[in-house]
Amino acid sequence: MLNLDIRTLSVLAIISSLLLALGLQLVHRIIVNDPSLRLWALGATVSGAGYVFLALRGMVPDLFSIVVGNTLLIVGTAWLYLGIRAFRELEQGFPWYWVLAGATAAVLYYFTYPMPSLSMRIVAVSAALAAVLFPCALVLLRPDDGHDRMVRWFIAAAFLALALFTAARAVITLLMDLPGQDFLALVSPIHTLSLVFGIGMCAVLGIGLPLLVTGKMQRRLAENESRFRDLAVMSSDWFWEQDAQFRFISMSVEWSRKARFSLSSTIGKTRWELPVAGVSDAKWQEHRALLERHEAFENFTYQLRNDDGELRWFSVTGKPVFGSDGVFRGYRGTGHDITERVNLEQRVRQTQKMEAIGRLAGGIAHDFNNILAAIIGNERLARADLPAGDPAQESLREIDK
């Protein structure tokens, strides 16, 4: 009955490892492309292959069922360790785990053929697995990241429990192999517990690892959204959205802060229902016809009286929004307060106008002075030509005054 239970558990261990690998691959390909998922899936696949070779004990040569099977379990655990380091964005460092796997394979081969010893094989595999499992737990428990703490602790606790079990298995095996101890009576229970721990570990990883990756993905999305909003805010004053009837349904708070215009007086209204000025009827008709055609527009300018009673200039740009079914959903866009720019342009134009008037007046004065100089010069010549006492002399003197 015990042998049947072990064989059943072996099959369950194989199935759980392969299902874990399949699930991680699906998450990697469909939901999020993360390198840690690929490494974890590879580790689960290799471990599953190791369980397959272990289950074939007696049907294939010991080289495969003992040496290769146990070595694959260590290699699969090493891939899990690499996935954890990739998830925590740590450098791989020196590949001690591959050295450990190679050394364990050599030890297993030695205690299978030149000097067969079941107890030493168990000790070698248990020690190697514990040497990889403990770092897995420690990396997950690193305090430098406060995100997903409960999930990381949940997975780390499973790694730590399995590491403690494998370490205890190595120590107990050494003690039970001493003279006078019935070591063989302990082999089946140890093997059974090993399979149970392996199946439980697959269940924990199947739940925890996708949660870790999706949490990381959500944080990245939030960071990207925040970065986009920061850049967008720096390039524009506010955002707005309209429904299919061109009524405002959303307006960023920057609108209220910068334009000093309450959101409650804007939401639910069209742009032409606001106290807008500075737009002719022809311009409104042109703009509304463009909206009805669901076309994008740029730099539509108008004046709006804010809650303080001040007229301010605004420039808006928008593009139509369509649903996945192709149905028009409304508009979204950005806005700028261009009051300072318009006022500056008006001051520049006023200055240029005054300069032009000054130049015109200067030119007129210069021409008038030329005419006066000619008149005065001729008046003096005429006086010089007239005899003294001539009545015309008095009239000419009046011109000179």
Side-chain angles (χ1 to χ4, degrees), residues 233 237 252-261:
V233 166
D237 290 343
S252 61
V253 294
E254 285 81 5
W255 158 260
S256 178
R257 180 173 58 84
K258 294 182 179 181
R260 298 193 297 279
F261 203 97

Side-chain angles (χ1 to χ4, degrees), residues 216-361:
K216 183 179 180 180
M217 178 186 67
Q218 290 173 356
R219 289 194 299 274
R220 286 181 175 175
L221 288 175
E223 291 172 359
N224 290 335
E225 182 179 357
S226 176
R227 186 182 303 113
F228 168 76
R229 286 188 176 276
D230 290 342
L231 293 174
V233 166
M234 287 187 288
S235 63
S236 62
D237 290 343
W238 71 84
F239 302 99
W240 55 267
E241 286 185 286
Q242 295 175 332
D243 60 16
Q245 286 72 45
F246 314 115
R247 297 185 296 250
F248 287 105
I249 59 175
S250 176
M251 189 82 71
S252 61
V253 294
E254 285 81 5
W255 158 260
S256 178
R257 180 173 58 84
K258 294 182 179 181
R260 298 193 297 279
F261 203 97
S262 61
L263 296 178
S264 59
S265 60
T266 305
I267 301 301
K269 295 181 180 180
T270 62
R271 199 181 308 276
W272 47 87
E273 291 175 335
L274 301 176
V276 172
V279 183
S280 64
D281 292 339
K283 188 175 180 181
W284 267 127
Q285 291 177 1
E286 179 184 352
H287 181 68
R288 294 181 66 170
L290 182 146
L291 296 180
E292 294 293 343
R293 295 194 303 269
H294 305 158
E295 297 178 1
F297 62 91
E298 293 183 357
N299 301 324
F300 179 71
T301 59
Y302 58 91
Q303 277 184 298
L304 190 64
R305 191 175 299 277
N306 62 16
D307 294 343
D308 298 337
E310 178 187 5
L311 272 175
R312 300 192 67 83
W313 282 95
F314 300 102
S315 174
V316 292
T317 297
K319 61 175 296 185
V321 179
F322 298 92
S324 58
D325 53 0
V327 176
F328 173 68
R329 303 296 186 191
Y331 271 87
R332 70 166 60 107
T334 60
H336 296 270
D337 186 335
I338 60 171
T339 304
E340 298 301 327
R341 191 186 75 189
V342 172
N343 291 340
L344 179 61
E345 291 174 351
Q346 290 177 348
R347 287 196 296 269
V348 170
R349 284 196 294 269
Q350 184 67 22
T351 302
Q352 292 174 342
K353 184 186 298 184
M354 295 303 297
E355 290 177 353
I357 293 174
R359 287 194 296 270
L360 176 62

Side-chain angles (χ1 to χ4, degrees), residues 34-44 46 74-99 101 131-133 135-137 139-140 159 209 216:
D34 193 280
S36 56
L37 281 171
R38 180 179 57 82
L39 295 172
W40 288 332
L42 182 58
V46 173
I74 299 169
V75 171
T77 307
W79 282 117
L80 292 177
Y81 171 71
L82 289 175
I84 293 172
R85 291 191 68 89
F87 174 78
R88 299 302 302 273
E89 298 179 354
L90 301 174
E91 295 182 359
Q92 302 301 340
F94 178 74
W96 57 268
Y97 30 82
W98 301 134
V99 177
V132 182
L133 290 169
C136 290
V139 173
L140 286 171
F159 274 115
L209 295 182
K216 183 179 180 180

